[in-house]
Amino acid sequence: MSGIYIGCHLSVSGGYEAMGRTMQRYGGNTFAWFTRNPRGGKTKEISMEDVRGLGQILKEGFGPVVAHGSYTMNLCSANEQTRANGLDMLKKDLERMELVPGNYYNFHPGSHGGQGEETGIELIADALNQVLQEQMTTTVLLETMAGKGSEVGGDFGQLRKIIDRVARKDHIGVCFDTCHTWDAGYDLAGDLDGVLAEFDRIVGLEYLKAVHLNDSKNPRGSRKDRHEKLGRGLLGEEALRNIVRHPALQGRPFILETPNDEEGYIREIRMVLEWMRSPA
Ligand code: FE
Ligand code: FE
Ligand code: ZN
């Protein structure tokens, strides 16, 4: 497919169908939502009518949608109870995802909290092997991280090692966050082709299922993870435009996680659509 799907994060509080309607109004054709409030609390009750309503909208030219797991979910925590809670959240989130079959669920691989990268990788893969089921229609995406603190996922090799250990490889992929990857040190502004070739060599582009399209408040390699509006950060407009238009990334859902209100998201969606249409 030539062209990408574009949308942003939305609140699930009004239900699933309402998110689809909101995104139609914004002019986009995909979206993301947090499956739980950021503090990791309860999930919202879903009615079958609501789920069917969204299903109808998704058939009208939408790409896959990308649910986001809670930030409190840390599958490689040094604390056993935290790990168990994370596994429980993941399991329940994936059960609910089957109500909207065939979409993506992305999460932050986790922070190993001083246990070391190898232990972190083992724990994350272990958890995934406990929840990924053959009959699942959802693909679970590991997000590329900025590598702050003891975060796992700040380099492509770590993602590869997790995927290597996952048994059901048809149910796993990567969500490529442009702010995080830049902050982790990859030169998306100066050498986009090189970074994507490296991703392909180490992980494989066939695993890159979705993109989080964000500018960054910080320079490359800062390991900070502070998102900025498109074109207002250190990644910059030209780099982001090249990412949207890159042949290797076509056909994927792109999700904005930029600091914006409704008006700002509508403006950025329109901007990205213009980048897609304008000639090289
Ligand atoms: Fe994220
Ligand atoms: Fe992200
Ligand atoms: Zn972030």
Side-chain angles (χ1 to χ4, degrees), residues 68 71 106 108 143 177 180 212 257:
H68 197 310
Y71 290 143
N106 121 268
H108 296 181
E143 185 163 344
D177 187 306
H180 297 178
H212 283 169
E257 300 178 308

Side-chain angles (χ1 to χ4, degrees), residues 74 76-79 110-117 120 123 149-152:
N74 185 1
C76 65
S77 169
N79 180 301
S111 295
H112 62 67
Q115 303 175 95
E117 179 189 320
L123 288 169
S150 66
E151 261 174 9
V152 178

Side-chain angles (χ1 to χ4, degrees), residues 34-42 69-73 89:
F34 283 102
T35 55
R36 296 155 190 274
N37 74 45
R39 282 180 228 94
K42 288 220 190 78
S70 171
Y71 290 143
T72 61
M73 191 173 99
M89 276 189 242

Side-chain angles (χ1 to χ4, degrees), residues 9 68 71 106 108 143-145 175-180 211-214 225 227 255 257:
H9 263 274
H68 197 310
Y71 290 143
N106 121 268
H108 296 181
E143 185 163 344
T144 63
M145 301 309 295
C175 177
F176 191 100
D177 187 306
T178 57
C179 166
H180 297 178
V211 175
H212 283 169
L213 188 67
N214 304 308
D225 187 0
H227 303 189
I255 305 294
E257 300 178 308

